[in-house]
């Protein structure tokens, strides 16, 4: 019961937080891109932040690292997959040129810092400083976009918040109440969720890492799922994809950064996470490049591909942690020698075709 109640409080709290923060951002004149990549992305990552910090204080660091890594995998494979099935997603050029490479870079940095089996305080401070630098760079880029006379991008999300109400003391107070109330619900929900997840892990004899990678990761990613699906339904260009990329970058830099700083002895990283889960998160980040680059959109069949790989990843976790070694060996062979090579060939062909099409467009326009 407390697990379900914790998830409900996380979703409601995140909704209040995003609602209040988004309106405050719009009142301050923040452009749609910065709202999607920071205000919304960071707001929907608040459950991950709350859960990971509470886990670190409680000494349950496996849940902290599993929550972030599992959420990042879930965000790309499941959330973008579902959103692309609802409607093909448009990917802005800035996301391809800047944010996807940053997501890949911070994922590699996490693996590098974890190789000694410990995400120490110095590592965490570096990650947190990187989160501040990333946010400042987004603010700078968005200010350039805002002042660009050739920029005509707009979306329903920004118009709704910037035109609906005047910037009055009452409006500020109401939205601040949303923010503070949302944070309070997140803290309470995260405490219930962490305590319930630990109880489930112990009763089933499962490690806290797999609970963090699955139940907790999915639960704390529900705000991202709701936001991206709604944005996809509304046809909003930057919110659906920008929310996922911004959340993933924020999860590693800020969530793990803060969690590692407050954890009494840093965050221990298990050998399973180093050898499998973090590399999977890196591979998922790399896979975004060719898929996003092909026509600067995520088509429905690519959404199905994302969902297939999330099911495959979850299947591996279940087989591994239930110690079904014979089936797991066959499963790994199928993935390594058939599914992954076929996917790699497909992505390479798509990238080559897109480059040829882009070259033809340049030649025809010149």
């Amino acid at each position: 019961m407390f697990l379900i109640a914790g998830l409900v409080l996380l979703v409601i709290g995140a909704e209040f937080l995003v609602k209040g923060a988004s309106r405050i951002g719009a009142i301050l004149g923040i452009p749609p891109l910065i709202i999607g990549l920071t205000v919304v992305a960071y707001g929907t990552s608040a459950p991950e932040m709350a859960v990971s910090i509470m886990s670190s204080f409680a000494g349950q660091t496996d849940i902290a690292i599993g929550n972030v890594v599992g959420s990042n995998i879930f965000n790309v494979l499941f959330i973008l997959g579902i959103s692309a099935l609802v409607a093909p997603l448009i990917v802005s050029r800035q996301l391809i040129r800047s944010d996807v490479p940053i997501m890949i870079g911070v994922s590699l940095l996490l693996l590098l810092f974890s190789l000694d089996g410990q995400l120490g305080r110095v590592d965490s401070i570096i990650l947190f400083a990187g989160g501040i630098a990333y946010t400042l760079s987004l603010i700078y880029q968005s200010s350039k976009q805002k002042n660009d006379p050739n920029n005509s991008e707009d979306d329903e999300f920004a118009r709704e918040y910037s035109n609906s109400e005047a910037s009055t003391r009452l409006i500020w107070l109401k939205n601040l109440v949303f923010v503070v109330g949302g944070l309070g619900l997140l803290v309470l929900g995260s405490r219930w969720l962490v305590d319930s997840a630990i109880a489930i892990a112990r009763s089933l004899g499962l490690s806290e890492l797999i609970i963090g990678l699955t139940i907790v990761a999915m639960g704390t990613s529900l705000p991202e799922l709701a936001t991206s699906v709604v944005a996809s339904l509304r046809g909003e260009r930057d919110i659906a994809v920008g929310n996922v990329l911004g959340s993933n970058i924020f999860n590693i830099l800020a969530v793990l950064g803060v969690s590692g700083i407050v954890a009494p002895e840093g965050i221990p990283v298990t050998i399973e996470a180093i050898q499998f889960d973090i590399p999977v998160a890196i591979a998922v980040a790399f896979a975004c490049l060719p898929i996003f680059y092909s026509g600067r959109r995520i088509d429905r069949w690519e959404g199905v591909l994302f969902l297939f790989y999330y099911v495959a990843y979850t299947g591996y976790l279940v087989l591994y942690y239930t110690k079904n070694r014979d089936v797991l060996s066959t499963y790994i062979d199928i993935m390594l020698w058939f599914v992954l090579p076929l996917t790699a060939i497909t992505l390479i062909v798509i990238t080559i075709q897109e480059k040829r099409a882009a070259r033809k467009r340049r030649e025809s326009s010149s």
Side-chain angles (χ1 to χ4, degrees):
M1 285 298 296
F2 278 102
L3 178 69
I4 298 174
L7 291 176
V8 171
L9 289 184
L10 285 175
V11 174
I12 296 175
E15 171 65 21
F16 285 173
L17 179 61
V18 171
K19 184 176 182 179
S22 299
R23 288 183 174 178
I24 290 174
I27 290 172
L28 294 175
I30 300 176
L33 181 60
I34 197 67
I35 291 177
L37 281 170
T38 57
V39 177
V40 176
Y42 293 5
T44 54
S45 286
E48 285 91 337
M49 174 71 82
V51 167
S52 293
I53 290 177
M54 296 296 293
S55 300
S56 298
F57 273 125
Q60 309 296 338
T61 50
D62 275 354
I63 287 184
I65 190 76
N67 174 38
V68 166
V69 175
S71 291
N72 280 18
I73 296 171
F74 182 85
N75 285 350
V76 172
L77 296 183
F78 190 87
I79 294 179
L80 286 185
I82 290 292
S83 300
L85 284 181
V86 173
L89 300 175
I90 303 298
V91 182
S92 73
R93 185 174 285 107
Q94 177 181 326
L95 294 178
I96 299 172
R97 291 179 176 178
S98 175
D99 297 284
V100 173
I102 290 174
M103 181 174 65
I104 294 172
V106 298
S107 301
L108 289 170
L109 187 62
L110 174 61
L111 179 61
L112 178 63
F113 284 167
S114 303
L115 290 178
D116 60 356
Q118 180 87 7
L119 193 64
R121 185 152 295 172
V122 174
D123 300 331
S124 302
I125 292 173
I126 293 173
L127 290 177
F128 185 68
I132 295 175
Y134 172 69
T135 304
L136 292 176
S137 70
L138 281 178
I139 294 173
Y140 173 72
Q141 292 173 18
S142 66
S143 65
K144 288 175 59 179
Q145 177 190 12
K146 182 179 180 180
N147 296 325
D148 185 359
N150 298 320
N151 177 46
S152 59
E153 287 192 6
D154 193 9
D155 63 39
E156 183 179 343
F157 184 86
R159 289 195 302 270
E160 177 183 348
Y161 288 129
S162 61
N163 296 331
S164 59
E165 299 169 323
S167 178
T168 64
R169 183 177 302 176
L170 179 61
I171 299 305
W172 275 95
L173 178 61
K174 182 175 74 172
N175 290 311
L176 285 174
V177 169
F178 274 128
V179 171
V180 174
L183 286 171
L185 291 176
L186 286 172
V187 172
L188 180 59
S190 66
R191 180 182 292 275
W192 287 358
L193 184 63
V194 170
D195 291 344
S196 300
I198 294 170
I200 291 173
R202 290 173 177 169
S203 64
L204 297 178
L206 298 176
S207 72
E208 291 168 1
L209 178 62
I210 188 174
I211 296 297
L213 288 166
T214 54
I215 297 175
V216 178
M218 293 177 189
T220 56
S221 291
L222 289 177
E224 285 95 331
L225 176 60
T227 300
S228 291
V229 169
V230 169
S232 180
L233 286 170
R234 293 182 177 181
E236 295 161 346
R237 295 187 58 185
D238 289 325
I239 300 299
V241 183
N243 170 44
V244 166
L245 296 189
S247 294
N248 280 14
I249 295 169
F250 182 83
N251 283 346
I252 293 177
L253 295 179
V255 173
L256 280 182
V258 173
S259 300
I261 291 172
V262 302
E265 299 179 359
I267 301 178
V269 184
T270 64
I271 190 65
E272 292 87 358
I274 295 171
Q275 292 182 347
F276 182 73
D277 299 295
I278 297 177
V280 167
I282 294 172
V284 167
F286 269 107
C288 289
L289 273 180
I291 290 179
F292 287 12
Y293 181 72
S294 60
R296 292 201 291 124
R297 56 187 281 145
I298 307 174
D299 291 316
R300 284 190 171 92
W301 75 267
E302 292 167 326
V304 171
L305 184 65
F306 275 159
L307 289 172
F308 168 79
Y309 273 108
Y310 186 74
V311 172
Y313 168 72
T314 306
Y316 173 88
L317 291 180
V318 172
L319 291 174
Y320 181 84
Y321 285 100
T322 55
K323 303 186 185 304
N324 198 335
R325 301 305 185 194
D326 292 336
V327 178
L328 179 62
S329 178
T330 304
Y331 187 86
I332 292 174
D333 288 340
I334 294 173
M335 294 298 296
L336 285 179
W337 300 107
F338 178 71
V339 177
L340 290 178
L342 182 61
T343 304
I345 293 172
T346 302
L347 294 178
I348 291 172
V349 170
I350 290 174
T351 303
I352 293 174
Q353 290 177 343
E354 179 59 28
K355 286 185 176 180
R356 288 177 178 175
R359 189 183 304 114
K360 289 181 179 179
R361 288 194 296 267
R362 288 195 299 268
E363 292 174 353
S364 61
S365 61
S366 60

